[in-house]
Amino acid sequence: MRLSDKFRHLAATTQVKAESLIAVGIANMRGMRASRVISFAGLFFAVCAVGAVGVAPLAPDAANLPVKTVTHELVLPSLDEQIAKIVLQQQHYVKEEKIQRGDTLASLLQRLGVDDVNAANFLRTDPVARSVLQARAGKSIRVKTTDEGTLEWLRVGIDGTDNGNKTLLVSRNEQSGFKATEVVEQLERRIEMRSGDIQSSLFVATDKALIPAPIADQIVKMFETSIDFRRLQRGDYFNVVYETFWLNGELVKTGKLLSGEFRNSGKLSQAVWFDEGAGEGGYYSFDGKSLKKAFLKSPLEFSRVSSGFSMRVHPISGKWKRHTGIDFAAVTGTPIRASADGTIEHAGPQGGYGNMVIVKHWNGYSTAYAHMSRFAPGARKGVRVSQGQVIGYVGSTGWSTGPHLHYEFRVNNEPRDPNTISVQSAAALAAHELPKFRTVAAEMSHRFDLLRPERNSAARVAAR
C-alpha cells in the first residue's frame, strides 16, 4: 500500500470515531439538558439582581445636574390687527332706562340709544306695540341694539294682572320687520317688614322707613277707628308687615298690608288682615275682634280740628251761635270720606252750607259734609256708599272764610256731638274660623318680635 493510501485510510477511520463520540455526547447531554437549563436560568437572574443593586446608587444627584437657560422669542399678534377685527365685528348693547313723567316715544328712544326709523314707526303704528307709550312713569324699559342704534328687541312691563305681570316684547324677525307680543309673567311675592318712629307725622316716618305710599295709606285705614292720627307725638312707633311683588328683580307693585302694630300715647294697637274667603276679609285685633267700627273718627285722613261742637262767635255774623258740627281745617281738594255705610240723601248746594252731601245710615243716624269744592264722580242722591268711600273734596263754598270741612253727626235730624256717640264694633269672627285666625296672628306676632328686639330688651331691663 502506498503511503498516500495509508493516510487516506487513517483520516477516514478518525472521522468515524469522532462522529461516534459526538453522537454519544449528544445522547448524554439530552438527559442533563432540563436540569442544567433551570440552573443556568436561576444563576442568570441572580447575577442580574446583584448587578441592579450595585448600579442604582451610582445614578447622579439631580442637584448636581447642569442647568441650561433657553430663551425663545414669541411672536405676539399685532394689537392694531386685533382692534381692526373687533371694529369689523357687529357689536350689541343692552341698555335700561326708567320711564319718566312726560316722556315721548322720541325722547325715550333717544335716551335708550335707539336710532332706528323703522322701529320707531312700528312702535307708533302697531296696535300691540303702542302700549309701550301707556307704561307708567318709573317702569323700567330695556332694549338691545347694534352699535349703530338698530333695535333688536325691546322689553317693558305694562299693566299687571291678578296672576302676574303683563310684559310687552318687541323683537326683530328674519324679514327685517318687527313683531310685538304680550306675555303674562308670574310675579314673585315677597313679605316685607319695616319699622318707623314718629318725629313729626306719619308720612314723614313712612318715607324715612322706605315704606311705599300705598302701604302708608293702608296703615291709616287699618287704625283709623282706633287711632287719631291728628294727635301723634314723638316717641310713637309702628311696625308693619306687607306684600310686594317683583319681576326680574324689579318691584312691580305693592300688595296688602298684612299686619301692623302702632304705639300711640303709650297704648299699643295691633291688627292683622284675615282672609275670610270668597274675596272677603278684614282687619282684626289679635284676639279676633273686628277693627271696623260703625263710624270713622274723622271723614278726613289728615287734618286738624279748627272748631268743635260748642257755642262760638260766628266768623261772618259776629254773633254768639251754637256750632252744630266739627270743622276740620284742610287744603282745598282734600278727599272727604263717608264715615259709615249708607245712602246719599242729598248732594248739591244748600244755603250757607254750600256744596253739601248728606248720607243716611240706619236707626235714624245721618251725617252731613259741607263747604265742598266739588263732588266725587257718581256722588248723587240715592247712591249707596261704603265706609271710607270718597264722596267729595274740601272747599270753601257757602258761608265760609277759608277751606275746611264742616262735619255734622245727626240723630233723627238733630245735630249731636260725634265724640259723645258710642261707636259699636262689627261682629267678631265665627268660632270655626278662630283656629285658622290664631295661626295667622301667631305668625305676625313672631314677626313683630323680630322687628323690635331693642325695644323688647329695654322693656326686660326696665322690668328688673
Side-chain angles (χ1 to χ4, degrees):
M1 180 180 295
R2 288 181 294 183
L3 183 62
S4 59
D5 295 332
K6 290 181 179 181
F7 279 114
R8 290 189 185 96
H9 179 72
L10 180 61
T13 304
T14 304
Q15 181 178 1
V16 172
K17 292 180 178 180
E19 290 176 354
S20 300
L21 290 172
I22 291 171
V24 172
I26 290 173
N28 293 334
M29 289 179 65
R30 286 174 180 171
M32 301 171 60
R33 180 177 295 172
S35 60
R36 289 181 180 180
V37 168
I38 294 174
S39 301
F40 280 118
L43 180 61
F44 172 78
F45 286 115
V47 171
C48 290
V50 173
V53 172
V55 172
L58 299 179
D61 189 353
N64 298 325
L65 292 176
V67 179
K68 184 179 180 179
T69 302
V70 178
T71 304
H72 182 71
E73 184 177 355
L74 299 177
V75 180
L76 298 176
S78 171
L79 182 60
D80 292 336
E81 293 179 0
Q82 295 183 64
I83 295 176
K85 290 180 180 179
I86 293 175
V87 170
L88 293 176
Q89 294 176 355
Q90 184 70 269
Q91 302 299 308
H92 304 273
Y93 303 92
V94 176
K95 189 172 183 181
E96 181 174 339
E97 286 283 341
K98 294 286 188 181
I99 297 177
Q100 299 177 5
R101 191 178 300 277
D103 257 338
T104 63
L105 180 62
S107 63
L108 184 59
L109 294 180
Q110 183 179 12
R111 288 206 316 276
L112 289 166
V114 177
D115 186 11
D116 191 329
V117 175
N118 292 333
N121 290 336
F122 179 80
L123 292 172
R124 288 191 185 96
T125 58
D126 185 81
V128 177
R130 280 187 302 182
S131 58
V132 68
L133 301 175
Q134 301 170 1
R136 59 180 173 82
K139 295 290 292 183
S140 293
I141 180 169
R142 300 177 68 199
V143 297
K144 181 180 180 181
T145 66
T146 66
D147 51 355
E148 296 177 349
T150 302
L151 180 66
E152 296 191 356
W153 56 256
L154 175 148
R155 179 190 185 102
V156 61
I158 46 182
D159 293 338
T161 65
D162 293 338
N163 298 323
N165 190 66
K166 192 182 295 184
T167 300
L168 171 67
L169 299 175
V170 177
S171 56
R172 185 182 293 273
N173 59 27
E174 296 179 356
Q175 291 75 30
S176 298
F178 291 93
K179 180 181 179 182
T181 56
E182 291 181 352
V183 296
V184 176
E185 298 180 293
Q186 188 65 36
L187 299 179
E188 175 194 357
R189 179 177 180 262
R190 300 181 186 178
I191 303 298
E192 308 274 351
M193 302 189 299
R194 301 282 183 181
S195 295
D197 293 281
I198 301 298
Q199 299 296 326
S200 55
S201 70
L202 176 63
F203 280 165
V204 171
T206 54
D207 286 345
K208 188 176 180 180
L210 303 179
I211 295 174
I215 300 300
D217 293 338
Q218 292 183 58
I219 293 175
V220 175
K221 290 180 172 59
M222 173 182 279
F223 293 112
E224 63 188 350
T225 58
S226 55
I227 294 177
D228 189 346
F229 286 96
R230 299 167 298 172
R231 299 180 180 179
L232 299 181
Q233 58 188 17
R234 284 179 177 267
D236 292 350
Y237 70 85
F238 59 88
N239 297 313
V240 291
V241 180
Y242 58 92
E243 300 173 309
T244 55
F245 295 89
W246 299 71
L247 180 64
N248 298 324
E250 178 187 2
L251 176 63
V252 174
K253 63 179 181 178
T254 56
K256 185 173 293 295
L257 177 60
L258 300 176
S259 189
E261 64 176 9
F262 207 115
R263 183 170 291 278
N264 171 234
S265 300
K267 179 183 178 182
L268 183 65
S269 299
Q270 294 178 314
V272 58
W273 170 264
F274 182 67
D275 188 351
E276 301 171 38
E280 297 183 358
Y283 290 113
Y284 293 83
S285 60
F286 277 25
D287 57 1
K289 295 180 181 178
S290 175
L291 296 184
K292 184 177 180 180
K293 299 290 185 10
F295 291 89
L296 300 179
K297 285 183 174 293
S298 170
L300 304 181
E301 291 186 356
F302 294 96
S303 64
R304 63 180 179 83
V305 175
S306 57
S307 182
F309 191 95
S310 62
M311 294 295 293
R312 67 169 187 176
V313 176
H314 195 276
I316 294 179
S317 67
K319 297 180 180 179
W320 279 92
K321 188 176 181 180
R322 188 177 68 149
H323 188 232
T324 57
I326 296 178
D327 288 349
F328 295 94
V331 297
T332 299
T334 301
I336 301 170
R337 307 170 300 165
S339 60
D341 298 343
T343 303
I344 295 180
E345 188 178 47
H346 172 84
Q350 191 174 101
Y353 287 109
N355 292 331
M356 184 178 189
V357 170
I358 300 175
V359 179
K360 186 176 181 180
H361 306 290
W362 62 93
N363 293 337
Y365 294 144
S366 61
T367 51
Y369 314 79
H371 305 309
M372 292 182 175
S373 60
R374 58 190 176 94
F375 304 105
R380 59 183 182 275
K381 184 176 180 179
V383 173
R384 289 280 304 172
V385 293
S386 58
Q387 186 179 71
Q389 182 177 335
V390 175
I391 57 177
Y393 300 88
V394 169
S396 186
T397 57
W399 298 348
S400 172
T401 58
H404 71 284
L405 169 67
H406 175 83
Y407 172 65
E408 288 187 9
F409 187 93
R410 300 173 177 177
V411 179
N412 297 323
N413 292 325
E414 288 293 326
R416 297 277 298 274
D417 185 352
N419 293 322
T420 63
I421 301 299
S422 177
V423 180
Q424 300 295 322
S425 300
L429 287 170
H432 69 275
E433 294 175 326
L434 286 177
K436 180 182 176 182
F437 172 80
R438 292 192 183 103
T439 300
V440 175
E443 179 188 350
M444 295 304 164
S445 181
H446 174 66
R447 290 182 180 274
F448 290 150
D449 288 339
L450 297 176
L451 281 169
R452 41 182 160 84
E454 295 181 0
R455 293 186 175 113
N456 286 343
S457 299
R460 285 193 292 268
V461 171
R464 293 176 185 173

